[in-house]
Amino acid sequence: MTRLNVGDQCPLFSVKNKDGKEIKASDYIGKKPFVLFFFPNNIGYYCKSEVCEFRDAYEKFCEFGVEVIGASPNSVQSHNRFAEKHKIPFNLVVDEGRKLAKTFGVDGFLITDRVTFIIDITGKIVFSHSALLKSTQHIEESLKLAETLCAN
């Protein structure tokens, strides 16, 4: 599938979070904007860095009224251990079989691509950023747009 772009409507999805609770796009669309970032897995320097950088910026996202969701193909148990170890306050969701990544067009050859989307309150994708080895850029660029969304 082709990668979704700015201006596209966010597909409706339903996935489980690190606690096994169902998380749906409809939980946010019509209520608040959200960041959905895809990362390959819970191991490795860049993945850990990206998730922990979103963790460190989470309070700022909340100030702007923007929720954060991280998605990778890891299991509920793996996400739970990772979130506990690194004190992750936002939802890490299980992308079983990389179905969510395929829906958003970010299912790479061997791993999920490192791509961040921001979806506005109407469900429209207003930001998309891809940088496999530059995880910091995802957070910096997302925060800039989150602040803009808050101002509008």
Side-chain angles (χ1 to χ4, degrees):
M1 178 172 190
T2 305
R3 179 174 293 163
L4 295 180
N5 293 305
V6 170
D8 291 340
Q9 196 65 24
C10 175
L12 295 180
F13 61 82
S14 177
V15 288
K16 296 211 182 296
N17 74 358
K18 63 183 175 50
D19 301 314
K21 179 184 174 216
E22 185 177 35
I23 302 296
K24 300 179 284 190
S26 61
D27 294 338
Y28 304 98
I29 296 172
K31 298 171 184 97
K32 68 187 323 187
F34 63 100
V35 172
L36 176 61
F37 73 95
F38 290 89
F39 62 105
N41 58 51
N42 289 339
I43 58 174
Y45 172 78
Y46 292 107
C47 294
K48 184 181 122 194
S49 293
E50 181 181 18
V51 176
C52 289
E53 287 175 38
F54 268 111
R55 174 204 63 204
D56 295 345
Y58 183 65
E59 197 172 296
K60 198 72 169 161
F61 280 105
C62 290
E63 286 175 25
F64 296 142
V66 177
E67 189 51 63
V68 175
I69 303 168
S72 82
N74 295 94
S75 69
V76 168
Q77 297 81 6
S78 176
H79 276 328
N80 205 336
R81 283 190 307 271
F82 183 83
E84 196 172 290
K85 179 178 180 180
H86 298 288
K87 298 179 177 26
I88 307 302
F90 52 81
N91 279 310
L92 291 179
V93 297
V94 177
D95 186 10
E96 191 173 335
R98 299 193 310 192
K99 291 177 192 164
L100 188 59
K102 289 174 186 163
T103 300
F104 277 79
V106 298
D107 183 39
F109 176 62
L110 295 174
I111 60 172
T112 299
D113 293 338
R114 186 180 314 284
V115 180
T116 299
F117 294 95
I118 297 182
I119 294 94
D120 74 6
I121 197 165
T122 69
K124 185 171 27 168
I125 295 171
V126 293
F127 174 81
S128 174
H129 182 74
S130 175
L132 185 60
L133 301 178
K134 296 181 180 176
S135 60
T136 303
Q137 282 183 349
H138 290 260
I139 292 79
E140 292 169 354
E141 297 298 320
S142 296
L143 273 173
K144 286 179 195 172
L145 186 64
E147 185 174 19
T148 303
L149 288 173
C150 178
N152 293 336

